Amino acid sequence: MKMLYPQLNESRLRISLDGIWDFKRGGESLDVSLLEKGFGGTETMAVPASYNEQKSDKTLFEHYGYVYYQRKLKLPLKALEGQRTVLYFSAVTHSAVVYFNGKKLCEHKGGFLPFEAELDPSQLEVENLLTVAVDNRVNTSTLPVGNDSHAMFSDGLPDFESVKNTSVKPKNYPNFDFFNYCGINRSVYIYTTPKEYISDITVFGDMYGNITAEAECFGGMAQVEIYDGDRMVLKGGAGESLKLENPVLWEPLKPYLYTARFVCGDDSYEVPFGFRSVEVRGTRFLINGKPFYFKGFGKHEDSDTHGRGIDEALNVKDVSLIKWINANSFRTSHYPYSEEMLSLCDREGIVVIAETSAVGLNGRSYASCREHHRDVIKDMIARDKNHPCIVMWSLANEPDTECEEAYDYFMPLYELAHSCDPQNRPVTTVVCNNNYLKDRVVSAMDVMCVNRYYGWYIFGGDTDAAAQALDNELKYFESFGKPIIITEYGADAVSGVHSVYANMFTEEYQVEFYKAFNSVLDNYSFVAGEQVWNFADFATVQGLMRVDGNKKGIFTRERRPKLAAHYLKKRWSEVK
Ligand code: GCB
């Protein structure tokens, strides 16, 4: 779905619908009457944010199935007269059914990308009712992927079925390691455009000053003006070839942005953009013709109370910590992050690998996810194609790439991503197979992205064995003649737990683990980056492997540094 982020400017109005909405818990089937008629006796719920932790209530925390949001809204009908009026959701997790004044407006599957629907002027009243049903269930056809049940310890239990049928409540079994925070996680807007309007924009520059500036404009031809600050430096028809002599380049940690202003009839829209080129040449990842070494993190959108809801102050804080620790990049593990975060990274010069929500894919989900996976790739690239901060697309995290279907599943997606991206950025799939010799996908990607947990899940507590295992694996991957990025490696460290023996779960072990890994990485010139797992501690499902969440953070969930933060800060001030 092509759409532009709602913008307030001289041609467009933008009305925020964020705030406290009415809320009602539902069950496993959709109750259409709640959407048609609205509901009374309601709970309050903040939008945007996940609903799970907004109340001190375990049943809401663990809710399974639908919830309903509603709000009344008064609209300035005079101001909307003659305009196109659109309702825009930045992200509803994982799927939404939207009604406006009792009539179905739209529905959307996928919890991390925007969707919108035009409001019919004849349907607009001064006082309107907006109702939204949100489903948090994950299964083998959703991204991220869910399982039907937990087989693990129930196998072989003689009376398992009777316990299951009587006491086990229906719940999600995520096939991914982050808490399934759901709800209206990002902002909701009503915006207007003139009737003749710009529906899509492509704009970027390369390191030589060539500009691609195109606009889809209903009912006319668009013009484009390029600004350096307040100064107009170029002007032409959208789609014409434009070139700026000696542009200031967008560089990692030294960003420079120009603005492209598109005009079509009465409509206008501005996009900040940068001049930068990305290329994979041999074993190097080049940004603006120079080798770039990724230093940074896999992250999450995760925080106390907000859950996975957008938190702009936290985004600013995280970027400042990324700079404090001398890193330069992160991956949007394991789903597309908010547009606000990407715009921030454009401004701050943080390099981003943008990932889809395809996490937890296995042979079973390949058949049921294919079409949705294609939609997510198309929609993510349509939304994010202009951002200079994004230098690579990741199709998935840790799918089963040993199984027979894997190659035939991923290669069409790889081609699709390339064909959707006007900048033709490199495309990867992040893998983590136990037997790397059997991987059918990673070496076919532009960059090999590998997650590795030697010293934790394999050879836990033994950094010498971990280093040797990593060394063996890197020798194997070196033969492909492509760059490799270690996109995850890490050890849980419970903040405040120390030991002179550097045992697992202590802050000391986390440091020893990174020292061992990094000493191996430093021996291989085809290693194009190290992104540690994870930036900060984060919430997960309960389980034997998790101590109140995943503690592989270099920072705590509150963003306080662990010992390893000081070690990495020093290393990253010295390395490459
Ligand atoms: C992984 C996953 C990540 C997990 C991490 C871990 O391989 O990609 O989602 O959180 O391992 O800590 O187990």
Side-chain angles (χ1 to χ4, degrees):
M1 208 192 234
K2 285 179 181 171
M3 69 200 91
L4 295 172
Y5 187 83
Q7 186 166 96
L8 174 67
N9 64 25
E10 64 274 34
S11 330
R12 294 172 170 229
L13 277 175
R14 184 177 84 165
I15 303 162
S16 167
L17 301 187
D18 294 349
I20 307 293
W21 290 42
D22 303 328
F23 184 84
K24 195 175 183 68
R25 305 164 196 206
E28 288 182 57
S29 50
L30 182 68
D31 186 342
V32 173
S33 70
L34 295 175
L35 293 168
E36 284 172 347
K37 300 193 185 81
F39 42 89
T42 60
E43 279 190 59
T44 52
M45 198 58 70
V47 170
S50 305
Y51 56 75
N52 308 72
E53 286 184 19
Q54 289 194 45
K55 303 285 164 82
S56 312
D57 179 345
K58 196 172 178 187
T59 55
L60 182 62
F61 181 68
E62 294 177 342
H63 183 78
Y64 179 75
Y66 284 100
V67 296
Y68 300 84
Y69 287 77
Q70 90 177 0
R71 65 161 289 164
K72 295 205 169 92
L73 56 138
K74 287 198 172 159
L75 287 174
L77 291 186
K78 276 232 166 70
L80 304 182
E81 236 170 59
Q83 302 295 303
R84 198 177 139 256
T85 306
V86 184
L87 178 62
Y88 179 97
F89 289 86
S90 308
V92 180
T93 319
H94 294 286
S95 68
V97 184
V98 180
Y99 275 58
F100 193 81
N101 288 339
K103 292 218 174 69
K104 183 164 172 186
L105 187 66
C106 61
E107 55 185 285
H108 184 257
K109 176 176 177 181
F112 303 93
L113 288 168
F115 59 96
E116 66 177 25
E118 228 173 290
L119 295 170
D120 179 350
S122 67
Q123 226 193 318
L124 297 181
E125 310 284 343
V126 174
E127 179 135 338
N128 302 274
L129 177 68
L130 172 61
T131 47
V132 186
V134 182
D135 190 359
N136 77 347
R137 284 172 297 177
V138 288
N139 55 44
T140 50
S141 70
T142 59
L143 296 175
V145 176
N147 290 319
D148 298 333
S149 64
H150 258 316
M152 267 205 326
F153 293 113
S154 50
D155 282 352
L157 192 72
D159 52 1
F160 171 67
E161 283 305 317
S162 79
V163 179
K164 191 177 148 203
N165 296 336
T166 357
S167 301
V168 178
K169 287 192 257 7
K171 56 175 145 187
N172 277 308
Y173 296 98
N175 201 24
F176 48 90
D177 181 38
F178 47 92
F179 190 82
N180 189 34
Y181 284 118
C182 288
I184 304 184
N185 274 334
R186 297 181 193 153
S187 292
V188 186
Y189 296 109
I190 284 186
Y191 72 90
T192 67
T193 70
K195 293 272 188 233
E196 185 180 281
Y197 68 100
I198 302 167
S199 59
D200 187 41
I201 285 174
T202 299
V203 61
F204 59 94
D206 67 16
M207 60 189 273
Y208 308 105
N210 299 308
I211 302 173
T212 300
E214 289 160 7
E216 277 177 23
C217 183
F218 280 92
M221 287 294 290
Q223 296 291 309
V224 60
E225 298 162 350
I226 307 294
Y227 288 85
D228 181 354
D230 291 336
R231 196 167 53 91
M232 202 210 315
V233 289
L234 279 178
K235 175 179 182 154
E240 283 172 19
S241 62
L242 293 173
K243 182 165 182 160
L244 185 69
E245 295 304 330
N246 303 315
V248 183
L249 299 186
W250 188 97
E251 302 269 15
L253 300 176
K254 262 201 300 164
Y256 195 87
L257 294 174
Y258 292 78
T259 304
R261 179 168 182 273
F262 292 82
V263 179
C264 169
D266 292 335
D267 196 14
S268 61
Y269 195 93
E270 287 186 6
V271 183
F273 74 100
F275 289 89
R276 67 109 189 77
S277 298
V278 175
E279 191 194 339
V280 174
R281 199 184 301 155
T283 58
R284 301 265 183 244
F285 193 99
L286 306 180
I287 299 185
N288 297 332
K290 292 175 286 191
F292 178 73
Y293 189 78
F294 292 79
K295 297 183 271 188
F297 302 94
K299 274 185 103 288
H300 266 300
E301 291 184 323
D302 169 275
S303 67
D304 206 14
T305 309
H306 296 248
R308 194 141 286 115
I310 182 167
D311 183 338
E312 295 227 63
L314 192 70
N315 286 347
V316 170
K317 173 89 175 183
D318 284 2
V319 165
S320 97
L321 286 172
I322 288 171
K323 291 187 170 181
W324 173 85
I325 204 169
N326 296 313
N328 55 20
S329 62
F330 67 84
R331 172 169 60 118
T332 71
S333 42
H334 297 308
Y335 36 81
Y337 288 6
S338 68
E339 286 184 77
E340 289 82 349
M341 183 53 152
L342 299 173
S343 299
L344 180 65
C345 292
D346 288 343
R347 288 176 64 173
E348 296 276 3
I350 304 297
V351 171
V352 174
I353 300 172
E355 184 159 279
T356 70
S357 47
V359 51
L361 283 171
N362 49 37
R364 267 183 71 214
S365 44
Y366 281 159
S368 45
C369 278
R370 194 186 307 262
E371 278 318 303
H372 182 45
H373 200 167
R374 290 179 69 84
D375 287 344
V376 171
I377 291 170
K378 283 193 259 178
D379 289 354
M380 175 179 79
I381 297 178
R383 189 193 71 163
D384 296 340
K385 62 188 172 192
N386 294 327
H387 288 284
C389 67
I390 296 177
V391 299
M392 179 153 66
W393 307 109
S394 160
L395 301 175
N397 180 71
E398 298 187 3
D400 178 350
T401 46
E402 284 184 34
C403 67
E404 261 182 39
E405 311 87 304
Y407 184 84
D408 290 343
Y409 181 86
F410 274 99
M411 288 322 282
L413 298 181
Y414 168 89
E415 302 295 345
L416 175 73
H418 271 296
S419 70
C420 289
D421 181 13
Q423 295 196 37
N424 199 22
R425 295 165 178 93
V427 173
T428 191
T429 298
V430 173
V431 304
C432 182
N433 287 311
N434 267 353
N435 188 342
Y436 52 84
L437 301 176
K438 289 193 178 160
D439 187 288
R440 296 168 193 260
V441 171
V442 72
S443 58
M445 297 289 124
D446 299 319
V447 174
M448 299 181 288
C449 286
V450 175
N451 299 345
R452 268 301 160 221
Y453 287 93
Y454 301 130
W456 193 256
Y457 298 117
I458 304 174
F459 306 123
D462 187 342
T463 52
D464 290 340
Q468 193 194 326
L470 178 65
D471 194 57
N472 291 343
E473 182 167 348
L474 287 180
K475 282 204 176 78
Y476 169 73
F477 278 122
E478 197 176 22
S479 63
F480 291 104
K482 293 187 172 188
I484 193 169
I485 301 172
I486 306 302
T487 28
E488 281 184 29
Y489 58 122
D492 288 72
V494 179
S495 171
V497 174
H498 293 279
S499 162
V500 291
Y501 307 115
N503 294 336
M504 288 173 83
F505 287 104
T506 64
E507 293 196 37
E508 284 77 8
Y509 184 72
Q510 200 181 30
V511 173
E512 293 308 312
F513 170 93
Y514 280 119
K515 281 187 180 162
F517 245 78
N518 292 339
S519 68
V520 179
L521 298 183
D522 288 343
N523 295 332
Y524 290 90
S525 61
F526 81 116
V527 175
E530 54 194 63
Q531 291 192 326
V532 304
W533 188 258
N534 185 284
F535 176 77
D537 293 346
F538 58 92
T540 62
V541 284
Q542 305 184 59
L544 293 172
M545 307 229 287
R546 298 290 172 254
V547 189
D548 188 32
N550 189 310
K551 295 287 188 270
K552 294 194 187 68
I554 299 304
F555 298 94
T556 65
R557 205 173 184 215
E558 300 72 36
R559 276 45 180 175
R560 287 174 191 265
K562 299 184 194 168
L563 265 190
H566 300 285
Y567 157 71
L568 286 172
K569 180 174 167 66
K570 181 158 183 301
R571 171 176 168 80
W572 286 342
S573 70
E574 293 160 358
V575 100
K576 313 223 179 161

